[in-house]
Amino acid sequence: MSSSSTLTCTKLTAWTLAAVFLQILGLSLFVFGFFPVKPTLSGVSGPESYQAPKCDSKQDHLERNMLPPDQLRSLYKEISKIPSSFDRLILMVVDGLPAEFVLGKDDQPPPKAMMEAMPYTQSLLSNGTAIGYHAKAAPPTVTMPRLKAMVSGAIGGFLDVAFNFNTQALLDDNLLGQFYSIGWKMVIHGDETWIKLFPSVFMRHDGVSSFFVKDTVEVDHNVSRHIEAELMDNDWDLLILHYLGLDHVGHIGGRSSVLMTPKLKEMDEVIQRIHLGISDNHHGQTLLMVVSDHGMTDSGNHGGSSYEETDSVALFIGLGSKAPDYASATCNAVFQVDLAPTLALLFGVPIPKNNVGIVIAETIDSLTEDHQLRALELNSWQLLRLLRAQLPGLLCGLPSCNEFNYSQNLGISEFKGNLEEILYCLFVKAASLHDYWRSMKGQSVRSHSSNEFNDTVAAYNKFLRTSSDWLSRTASNKPLGLLAFGVSTMFISSVMFLSIQFWLNKEVRNRQRQYLPDSDKSGYNWHLDDSFVLLVILFLVFSMGSSSMVEEEQYTLHYMTCTLFLILLRKSCQFLHGRQSPSLFNSNKGQRFNYFRTFSIVLVLIFGRILRGWHQGGVNWIHFPDISKWLEKAGPHMIKSLQMVSGLLVIILSFFALYISRLKRMFILVVQISLLVSGILVLLHIMRYQEQTFSASSDSSNVVVQTIYTLLIMTVMVVVLGSPWVMPVLSGTTYSAAEASSVTSFFVDHDTRGPFLGLRASLYLVGWTYAVCWCLLQLLLQKPTNAMPTLLLLLQVLASMFYFSTGNQHHKQWVEVAALYFLGLAGHFSLGNTNTLATIDVAGAFIGISSHSTLFSGILMFIITYASPLLCHLSLTMYISMKGTDYKLASQDAHFGHILQMMIGIPCLVPLSLNSVILTTFTVILLIMRNHLFVWSVFSPKYMYVCAATVCVYIGLSIVAATVTYTCVVFLVRKNMLSSVGNSSIQTGVTNN
C-alpha cells in the first residue's frame, strides 16, 4: 500500500527536516540581526577627553600609552582642573538589595522592620553622613550587564541576559581599566563575575560562584573574613566586596523570607565595620560606596523591567556634604549608569568613552562653583563625542545657533530643527553661558552671580539629560536586509510545515475511506472544533501585537483551552444522544464507556479551573490573592501535606496504569518497583531535606537527589530500550482474542491485529514511564506550592488521553493533538511562569548539585520552566499507543515506512506547525515593534520565551519520534525472526514427510 501513497515516509521525513533546518536558519539570522550589542567607540579615553571635541574626530586623540602610570596620574590631575576628592575607594556591592529596603518608596520611609534591621545605615542617612539614591537599572536586570553599566556607564544589549551565564572579559573602556592605567592597586573579594570581567587587573582576589543560590551563609562569610586585614593594609587603592547572600535569600524565599531580616542585619554590621575602620585609619580619604546591581520581585527573582527589579540602591558614605534633612538624603533618583562618570570625576580619571550617564549633582556639591561647572563641561564633552559617532554632522555642517546671553533660558521645545540641530544648540547654549560666567568671574562686582551659576548648571543638565536619554534608547541600526531574509526563511518553513500537514491529513482521510467504508462519513466534514482550533491560532497571533495582551497571555490561553474542551464536551454529548444503534459499542458496557469518556472532559475542565486560580500571573494582577498565596499564608505544614499527597497519588496512578495493562510479566514488576523506589525517595527528600534549600545542602541531601536522578534516568532507559524486546509479538493466527485482550490497556481500543498490539503495549508502557518519571522529577524540582498543579496537569493529560483513546473517528486527529498542545501552553502559566524573565525559578536549578555547573544548572532550569509543555509532548508516546491502528495499518504486511508515517506523522507535525505559525508571526510583530516603547521590557522577553518554546518542541518531538522509530524497528526485526523460525519449521516438516 505504501507504494501508492503520494506522501511516503522518506518524503515526509526529508521535507520535515528541511522545514526544521530553514526555521533554525531563519531564527538564527533574525536573532543575531535584531539583538546586536549597542554601538561602542573603540579605544579608551585619555588626555584628549579634557579638551573640547574637534570637528574632525581624528584630531581628538592624544598619545598616552607611552606615559608611565605615575606621570599619567599627574597629567590627569593637571589638565582636569578638578582636585581629586578621595584617595581610595571601597565599593561594597550587595547583590539584589532593593533600594526600598534602605530608602523607602514613594517619599515614605522603609518599613519599620527594615529600618530596625539596618540601624547603623539609617543613622548615617539621618545625620547626613551618607546620601542615598534610587539608582534605576536598565533591563535585563541580571548581575553581569549591571556591573558593566556601573563601571563603564554603557547600557549593554538585551542578549547580555544570556551572556550572564558565560561571562567574558570586558574589553570596552571602563573605570577599572582607567584606574589600572594610573597605577591603582585593586582587590576583589566576592562574586567571581568581577574576576571574569577583569581577569588581569586585581592584585588579590577571592572569588565565589554567583550561581550556587542555595548557599546563603558561606558565600558572604568568605567575603567578610577579609575585611579587617584589608582595612589594615595600605597596598590597595580600590577594594571591591561583592556580597551574594541577600540575592540568594531572595531566590529561595522571596522578599518576605525569614532569612531576609537577619541578612540585612549582617550587611548593616559589615557597613559599620567598614565605616568605623576607614574613619580610624590614616591611609588617606576613603569613599565607601554601597550599591546593588538590581532589585528583586516579591518572589525574589529578577531579570525583567518592573520597578521592583530595576530599583537598585546607591549610597555614598563620606562625601563630606551634609544633607539638610533625612528626606533629601533618601529621596533622590538617578540612573545606574550615572555612577561611572561620577566616580571618574571624583577620582580624577577620564570618563569612559561609551558612558551615557551624567554626573550626580549632590556628589560634587563640596567643590567650588568653578570646579562644579568644569565637571559638567567634561561630562558634556564626553557625551558630545559619543553623539558625534552616531550623528556625524553634529559638530560639522550645522547652521550656527543664535548667540546666547546669560539671561536666556531656552528649553528644548524652543529649538527648531532635526535632532542634530537641537542637541547642538543645547550644547552651544550651555557652553555660551559657561563662557559668560568665566568672563564675569574676574570682575570685582557681579550682579546676580547665583542666578548666572544656576542658569549655567541648568543648561548643562538639560543637554546632558537630553543626550543621555537619547543615547540610552538608541541601539545600532538593525540590518533590515538580514532581518527580512530571516523572516522570509521562517515564513517559508511555516508554509512547508502547513503543506506537509495538509497532505498528510489528506492521506489519512483517503485511507479511512478505503479501509473503513462503514465509518462515520461526517468525520470528513468541517466541524466546530476544527474551526475553533484555527480561531485559537488566529486570536493568539493577533493578540501578540498588544503589549498588554502579551503580559497577560495566560488569561487568553486558559480561556481558549477551556472553550475548546467545552466544544469537545458538547460534541461528545451530542454523539451520545444521537447514537441510537452504535456500531462500535454494541453493549451496555460500551455505552458506559462512552459516558466515562464524556466525564473525562468534565474532569479536564474542573482541573483547568483549579489551575487557572493557582497563580495570578502576568503583571497587572500578580498581587491579587490566589491559591498559592493562600497556601504560603497557611504555613509550611499545609504545603508539605499537599506535596506528600501529590507524590502518593502520582505513585498510585503509575501502579494503577500498569495494573490495568494486564501485562503479567516480570519486566512490569521491575518497572513498578523502580518507580516506587523513586517516588519514596522524592517523598523522603520532601520530608527531611526540603528545608535545607534555605542553606547549603548537606551531603546526604545531595546523595538522595542524585540517587533520584540516576534512578529516573535508568528507569526510562531500561523501559525504552527493553520493553520492545520483552513485549509479546502477537499474531492473529497464534493468539486468541482473549489472550490478546490480556495485553491491552483498558484505554486502548481492542485490536487483535498483530504485531501491532504488542507494539502499542510497548509504547503504552514507555509513555506512562515518561509521564510518571517526569512528574516525579517536577515534584522534586518545582517550588513546593507547585506540587498539586503538577499532579493536576498529569490528570488533565490522562483524562484527555482517555477521551481520545477510542477508535471512533468523530474527531480529527490533528484537533486532538492541538488540544494537548494547548493544554501544555496553559499549564506553563499554571505553574507560575509569565512572559517576564523574573519568574524563572533559579533556586530549583541547584537541587542536588554540590558545586556550580552552568551546563547542569541550565538544563534543570529549562526542565523546571517548560515542565508542562514537555509533559504534553512526551505524553504523545502514550497517545500514539492508545489510538487504533486498523485504518492506518491495513495489513500485517504494511511497509515499515508507512507504519512510521501513520503513527508519528500527525502527532509530531501538528505541534511543529502550530509552533512555527506562532514563532513566525511573533517574529514579524517584533520587527514591526522594534521602535516601540516596550520593545525591550515586553516584546523581547516574550520572544526569548517563544524561541525557548521552539527548542522545547524540538526536544520533546525528537524524543517521541526516536522512541516510536526504535520500537517499530525492534518489533519488525522480531517479527521477521519469528517468520524465519516458522518457515524453517515448515520446511523441516516437509522434508521429514
Side-chain angles (χ1 to χ4, degrees), residues 192 335 345 372 377 385 413 486 501 523 544 562 568 593 603 644 736 767 769 832 834 888 982 993:
E192 62 184 11
F335 290 90
L345 292 170
Q372 291 183 48
E377 181 181 53
R385 288 184 171 89
S413 61
Q501 181 70 56
M544 287 179 181
C562 176
L568 297 181
F593 185 81
L603 291 180
M644 299 298 293
S736 66
T769 305
T834 65
K888 299 178 184 177
N993 290 334

Coordinates of all heavy atoms in Angstrom, one line a residue, residues 192 335 345 372 377 385 413 486 501 523 544 562 568 593 603 644 736 767 769 832 834 888 982 993:
E192 N 32.7 36.1 41.6 CA 33.8 35.8 40.7 C 33.5 36.4 39.3 O 34.4 36.4 38.4 CB 34.0 34.3 40.5 CG 32.8 33.6 39.9 CD 33.0 32.1 39.9 OE1 34.0 31.6 40.4 OE2 32.1 31.4 39.3
F335 N 20.2 57.3 37.6 CA 20.3 56.1 36.8 C 21.6 55.4 37.2 O 22.6 56.0 37.6 CB 20.3 56.4 35.3 CG 18.9 56.9 34.9 CD1 18.6 58.2 34.9 CD2 18.0 56.0 34.4 CE1 17.4 58.7 34.4 CE2 16.8 56.4 33.9 CZ 16.4 57.7 34.0
L345 N 35.0 61.5 37.8 CA 35.3 62.9 38.2 C 35.8 63.0 39.6 O 36.6 63.9 39.9 CB 34.1 63.7 37.9 CG 33.7 63.8 36.4 CD1 32.3 64.5 36.3 CD2 34.7 64.6 35.7
Q372 N 32.6 72.7 39.9 CA 31.4 72.0 39.5 C 31.1 72.2 38.0 O 30.7 71.2 37.3 CB 30.2 72.6 40.4 CG 30.3 72.2 41.8 CD 29.1 72.7 42.6 OE1 28.0 72.5 42.2 NE2 29.4 73.3 43.8
E377 N 31.2 70.3 32.3 CA 31.7 70.5 31.0 C 32.4 69.3 30.5 O 32.2 68.9 29.3 CB 32.7 71.7 31.1 CG 33.4 72.0 29.7 CD 34.4 73.2 29.8 OE1 35.3 73.1 30.7 OE2 34.2 74.2 29.1
R385 N 31.1 63.6 22.2 CA 31.9 62.7 21.3 C 31.1 61.4 21.0 O 31.2 60.9 19.9 CB 33.2 62.3 22.0 CG 34.3 63.5 22.1 CD 35.6 63.0 22.7 NE 36.6 64.0 22.6 CZ 36.8 65.0 23.5 NH1 36.1 65.0 24.6 NH2 37.8 65.8 23.3
S413 N 12.1 72.6 23.7 CA 10.9 72.8 22.8 C 11.0 74.1 22.0 O 10.3 74.3 21.0 CB 9.6 72.9 23.7 OG 9.7 73.9 24.6
G486 N 15.8 36.6 7.3 CA 15.5 35.6 8.3 C 14.0 35.4 8.4 O 13.5 34.3 8.6
Q501 N 1.5 19.1 6.6 CA 0.3 18.7 7.4 C -0.9 18.5 6.6 O -1.7 17.5 6.8 CB 0.1 19.8 8.4 CG -1.1 19.6 9.4 CD -0.7 18.5 10.4 OE1 0.3 18.6 11.1 NE2 -1.5 17.5 10.5
G523 N -17.3 12.5 9.8 CA -15.9 12.8 10.3 C -15.1 13.5 9.3 O -14.1 14.1 9.7
M544 N -0.8 39.0 20.1 CA 0.7 39.3 20.3 C 1.1 40.7 19.9 O 2.2 41.2 20.3 CB 1.5 38.3 19.6 CG 1.5 36.9 20.2 SD 2.5 35.7 19.2 CE 2.2 34.2 20.2
C562 N -10.0 26.2 27.7 CA -11.3 25.8 28.3 C -12.4 25.8 27.3 O -13.2 24.8 27.3 CB -11.6 26.8 29.5 SG -13.2 26.5 30.3
L568 N -15.6 20.3 22.8 CA -15.5 18.8 22.7 C -16.5 18.1 23.6 O -17.1 17.1 23.3 CB -14.1 18.4 23.2 CG -12.9 18.9 22.3 CD1 -11.6 18.4 22.8 CD2 -13.1 18.4 20.8
F593 N -18.8 3.0 28.8 CA -17.5 3.5 28.4 C -17.6 4.9 27.8 O -16.8 5.8 28.1 CB -16.9 2.5 27.4 CG -15.5 2.9 27.1 CD1 -14.4 2.5 27.9 CD2 -15.2 3.5 25.9 CE1 -13.1 2.8 27.6 CE2 -13.9 3.8 25.5 CZ -12.8 3.5 26.4
L603 N -13.7 16.4 33.9 CA -12.5 16.5 34.8 C -11.4 17.4 34.2 O -10.8 18.2 35.0 CB -11.9 15.1 34.9 CG -12.8 14.1 35.7 CD1 -12.1 12.7 35.8 CD2 -13.1 14.6 37.1
M644 N 3.1 15.8 49.8 CA 3.0 14.3 50.1 C 1.9 13.7 49.4 O 2.0 12.6 48.8 CB 3.0 14.1 51.6 CG 4.1 14.7 52.4 SD 5.7 13.9 51.9 CE 5.4 12.2 52.5
S736 N -5.4 -16.1 20.6 CA -6.9 -15.9 20.6 C -7.2 -14.5 21.0 O -6.4 -13.7 21.6 CB -7.5 -16.9 21.6 OG -7.2 -16.6 22.9
G767 N 5.3 5.4 27.3 CA 4.6 6.7 27.5 C 4.3 6.9 29.0 O 4.5 8.0 29.5
T769 N 5.8 5.6 31.5 CA 7.1 5.8 32.2 C 7.6 7.2 32.0 O 8.1 7.9 33.0 CB 8.2 4.8 31.7 OG1 7.6 3.5 31.8 CG2 9.4 4.9 32.5
G832 N 3.1 29.1 37.4 CA 3.6 30.4 37.9 C 4.5 31.1 36.9 O 5.1 32.2 37.3
T834 N 5.6 33.4 33.6 CA 5.0 34.5 32.9 C 5.9 34.8 31.7 O 6.8 34.0 31.4 CB 5.0 35.8 33.8 OG1 6.3 36.2 34.1 CG2 4.2 35.5 35.0
K888 N -5.1 2.8 9.8 CA -3.8 3.3 9.4 C -2.9 2.2 8.8 O -2.2 2.4 7.9 CB -3.0 3.9 10.7 CG -3.7 5.0 11.3 CD -2.9 5.5 12.5 CE -3.7 6.6 13.3 NZ -2.9 7.0 14.5
G982 N 9.4 -19.8 11.8 CA 8.2 -20.6 11.3 C 8.5 -21.2 10.0 O 8.1 -22.4 9.8
N993 N 8.5 -35.4 6.1 CA 7.4 -36.1 5.5 C 7.9 -36.8 4.2 O 7.5 -37.9 3.8 CB 6.2 -35.2 5.1 CG 5.5 -34.8 6.4 OD1 5.6 -35.5 7.4 ND2 4.9 -33.7 6.4

